[in-house]
Amino acid sequence: MDKKILVIGGATATGKTGFAVEMAKRLNGEVVSADCMLVYRGMDIGTAKPTEEEKCGIPHHMIDVVSPADSFSVSDYERLALPVCEDIFARGKVPVVCGGTGFYMQSLLFSRSNGGAGADPALRARYEKLAAEEGNEALFARLKAVDLESAAALHPNDVKRVIRALEIYEQTGRKKSDQRDDMTPRFPYVAVCFDYSRAELYRRIERRVDAMLAQGLVDEVRSLLAAGVPETAQSMQGIGYKEVIEFLKNACSQSTMSDMIKQNTRRYAKRQITYFKKFPAMRALDPSDGSNAERVTELFLS
């Protein structure tokens, strides 16, 4: 078979992991995670990291590749994940790219002309000064004000990418997230996501958060902090982790912490839905359809 990638994207708590394993079995594939939190070692419960049992013997890549004390950017993901896919191809297998971080998927699937905007050293220096003087969140707020979709796919501490998105907007007057016509596919691909009703998705999110707390999310965060991971680390700004930190600092009650995690996860899911609706060639699947695996297999092999 020619080089071809299966992409399973979409919002959190939609069953992507299990479906990716099933499709990898059918297609002689290996799973390549595209999740900005699964890259961190030791962050298992709050990221819903697949267990060995859930992996069902299918190799999974781009999981546990960096210390939780370190930063990790979209460019870091591209640098590491692209050779992984090439290696999977070289062994005659299919990369099944699975996750909810749209910019990770985009960086892997497409080469980009970066919005048709060249580098502007003076502009970059101005934004770097803003980040240094007012903080990364202030810089990130600038991006959210002009390009919410790009901001949704980035972390505030990914200063380089945040500045690049602002640079493109300021030079071209167009949002980076709208400039999809300048992306050249690296590989042919089939992309699918599950289309849950908003009410059902929110119920799934609430059940997942309850399960994470029951499994020991608070103890996981406490252990990470005790191991020396700064509470300001990029990894600790992830949903579930930042709220637990506030609880551990006695800034909120346990019930408030749980409600905050659920609310922030719902908001994140809404941003993911918006992003993936515009993802090139993304096909929505009815999660109640028992023939999805057969249909996607046929689609991929056609």
Side-chain angles (χ1 to χ4, degrees), residues 8 16 23 27 47-48 120 122 146 154 168 199 211 217 229 260 276 283 292-293 296:
I8 301 170
K16 296 185 296 292
M23 294 310 304
L27 298 174
T47 64
D120 185 330
V146 298
L154 293 172
I168 290 171
L217 176 58
V229 179
M260 288 171 57
F276 281 109
R283 294 173 169 87
N292 279 323
V296 173

Short mmCIF file of all heavy atoms in Angstrom, two decimals, residues 8 16 23 27 47-48 120 122 146 154 168 199 211 217 229 260 276 283 292-293 296:
data_model
loop_
_atom_site.label_atom_id
_atom_site.label_comp_id
_atom_site.label_asym_id
_atom_site.label_seq_id
_atom_site.Cartn_x
_atom_site.Cartn_y
_atom_site.Cartn_z
N ILE A 8 -7.79 10.00 13.44
CA ILE A 8 -8.97 9.94 14.30
C ILE A 8 -8.88 11.13 15.26
O ILE A 8 -8.08 11.14 16.18
CB ILE A 8 -9.05 8.61 15.07
CG1 ILE A 8 -9.10 7.45 14.08
CG2 ILE A 8 -10.27 8.59 15.99
CD1 ILE A 8 -8.94 6.09 14.71
N LYS A 16 -11.94 8.18 21.13
CA LYS A 16 -10.93 8.13 20.07
C LYS A 16 -9.93 7.00 20.29
O LYS A 16 -9.56 6.29 19.34
CB LYS A 16 -10.17 9.46 19.98
CG LYS A 16 -11.03 10.65 19.59
CD LYS A 16 -10.20 11.89 19.41
CE LYS A 16 -9.53 12.37 20.66
NZ LYS A 16 -10.50 12.87 21.69
N MET A 23 -9.01 0.22 14.82
CA MET A 23 -8.62 0.44 13.42
C MET A 23 -7.18 0.00 13.16
O MET A 23 -6.86 -0.51 12.08
CB MET A 23 -8.80 1.91 13.05
CG MET A 23 -10.25 2.39 13.05
SD MET A 23 -11.37 1.33 12.10
CE MET A 23 -10.57 1.32 10.49
N LEU A 27 -6.06 -2.56 10.20
CA LEU A 27 -5.23 -2.05 9.10
C LEU A 27 -3.76 -2.39 9.24
O LEU A 27 -2.94 -1.91 8.47
CB LEU A 27 -5.38 -0.53 9.01
CG LEU A 27 -6.79 0.00 8.70
CD1 LEU A 27 -6.82 1.52 8.80
CD2 LEU A 27 -7.25 -0.46 7.32
N THR A 47 -4.72 12.89 32.14
CA THR A 47 -4.67 12.94 30.67
C THR A 47 -5.45 11.80 30.03
O THR A 47 -5.50 11.71 28.81
CB THR A 47 -3.21 12.86 30.19
OG1 THR A 47 -2.65 11.59 30.57
CG2 THR A 47 -2.37 13.97 30.80
N ALA A 48 -6.01 10.91 30.87
CA ALA A 48 -6.69 9.70 30.36
C ALA A 48 -5.75 8.91 29.45
O ALA A 48 -6.14 8.39 28.41
CB ALA A 48 -7.97 10.06 29.61
N ASP A 120 9.35 38.87 10.60
CA ASP A 120 9.50 40.31 10.86
C ASP A 120 10.22 40.46 12.20
O ASP A 120 9.59 40.41 13.26
CB ASP A 120 8.13 40.97 10.91
CG ASP A 120 8.21 42.49 11.06
OD1 ASP A 120 9.19 42.96 11.67
OD2 ASP A 120 7.30 43.18 10.57
N ALA A 122 11.50 42.89 13.88
CA ALA A 122 11.08 43.97 14.76
C ALA A 122 9.76 43.64 15.45
O ALA A 122 9.59 43.90 16.65
CB ALA A 122 10.94 45.27 13.96
N VAL A 146 -7.73 38.16 18.57
CA VAL A 146 -7.79 38.28 17.11
C VAL A 146 -7.94 36.94 16.39
O VAL A 146 -8.37 36.90 15.24
CB VAL A 146 -6.53 39.01 16.57
CG1 VAL A 146 -6.45 40.42 17.12
CG2 VAL A 146 -5.25 38.23 16.88
N LEU A 154 -3.15 26.19 20.90
CA LEU A 154 -1.81 26.47 21.42
C LEU A 154 -1.85 26.59 22.93
O LEU A 154 -2.90 26.82 23.54
CB LEU A 154 -1.27 27.77 20.81
CG LEU A 154 -0.96 27.76 19.32
CD1 LEU A 154 -0.61 29.17 18.85
CD2 LEU A 154 0.19 26.81 19.01
N ILE A 168 1.53 36.63 11.65
CA ILE A 168 0.77 36.40 10.42
C ILE A 168 -0.44 37.32 10.37
O ILE A 168 -0.74 37.95 9.34
CB ILE A 168 0.34 34.93 10.32
CG1 ILE A 168 1.56 34.04 10.06
CG2 ILE A 168 -0.70 34.73 9.23
CD1 ILE A 168 1.27 32.56 10.15
N ALA A 199 -25.25 17.43 24.41
CA ALA A 199 -25.68 16.95 25.73
C ALA A 199 -24.98 15.65 26.10
O ALA A 199 -24.51 15.47 27.23
CB ALA A 199 -27.20 16.76 25.75
N ALA A 211 -14.46 9.90 37.16
CA ALA A 211 -13.59 8.71 37.19
C ALA A 211 -12.15 9.09 37.49
O ALA A 211 -11.46 8.41 38.27
CB ALA A 211 -13.69 7.97 35.86
N LEU A 217 -6.59 11.47 40.92
CA LEU A 217 -5.98 12.62 40.25
C LEU A 217 -5.31 13.57 41.24
O LEU A 217 -4.21 14.07 40.97
CB LEU A 217 -7.05 13.37 39.43
CG LEU A 217 -6.59 14.67 38.74
CD1 LEU A 217 -5.43 14.40 37.80
CD2 LEU A 217 -7.76 15.32 38.00
N VAL A 229 8.19 19.19 40.04
CA VAL A 229 7.60 19.82 38.86
C VAL A 229 6.99 21.15 39.30
O VAL A 229 6.11 21.17 40.17
CB VAL A 229 6.52 18.93 38.22
CG1 VAL A 229 5.91 19.62 37.00
CG2 VAL A 229 7.10 17.58 37.83
N MET A 260 -15.07 22.99 38.37
CA MET A 260 -14.20 23.79 37.50
C MET A 260 -13.58 22.93 36.41
O MET A 260 -13.48 23.34 35.25
CB MET A 260 -13.11 24.46 38.34
CG MET A 260 -13.61 25.61 39.21
SD MET A 260 -12.33 26.19 40.36
CE MET A 260 -11.01 26.62 39.23
N PHE A 276 -12.13 21.18 14.53
CA PHE A 276 -12.18 20.00 13.67
C PHE A 276 -13.28 20.09 12.61
O PHE A 276 -13.21 19.40 11.59
CB PHE A 276 -12.33 18.73 14.51
CG PHE A 276 -11.03 18.29 15.12
CD1 PHE A 276 -10.81 18.42 16.48
CD2 PHE A 276 -10.01 17.78 14.33
CE1 PHE A 276 -9.60 18.03 17.05
CE2 PHE A 276 -8.80 17.39 14.89
CZ PHE A 276 -8.59 17.52 16.24
N ARG A 283 -14.36 13.74 8.21
CA ARG A 283 -15.68 13.12 8.09
C ARG A 283 -16.22 12.82 9.48
O ARG A 283 -15.53 12.25 10.31
CB ARG A 283 -15.59 11.82 7.29
CG ARG A 283 -15.21 12.00 5.82
CD ARG A 283 -14.98 10.63 5.19
NE ARG A 283 -14.85 10.69 3.74
CZ ARG A 283 -13.71 10.92 3.09
NH1 ARG A 283 -12.61 11.13 3.79
NH2 ARG A 283 -13.68 10.94 1.76
N ASN A 292 -19.18 1.50 12.04
CA ASN A 292 -18.17 2.53 11.75
C ASN A 292 -16.82 1.95 11.38
O ASN A 292 -16.15 2.43 10.45
CB ASN A 292 -18.02 3.47 12.95
CG ASN A 292 -19.10 4.54 12.99
OD1 ASN A 292 -19.52 5.04 11.95
ND2 ASN A 292 -19.54 4.88 14.19
N ALA A 293 -16.39 0.92 12.11
CA ALA A 293 -15.08 0.34 11.82
C ALA A 293 -15.03 -0.24 10.42
O ALA A 293 -14.04 -0.06 9.69
CB ALA A 293 -14.74 -0.73 12.86
N VAL A 296 -15.04 2.74 7.87
CA VAL A 296 -13.78 3.46 7.79
C VAL A 296 -12.71 2.58 7.13
O VAL A 296 -11.87 3.09 6.36
CB VAL A 296 -13.34 3.93 9.19
CG1 VAL A 296 -11.94 4.54 9.15
CG2 VAL A 296 -14.33 4.94 9.76
#
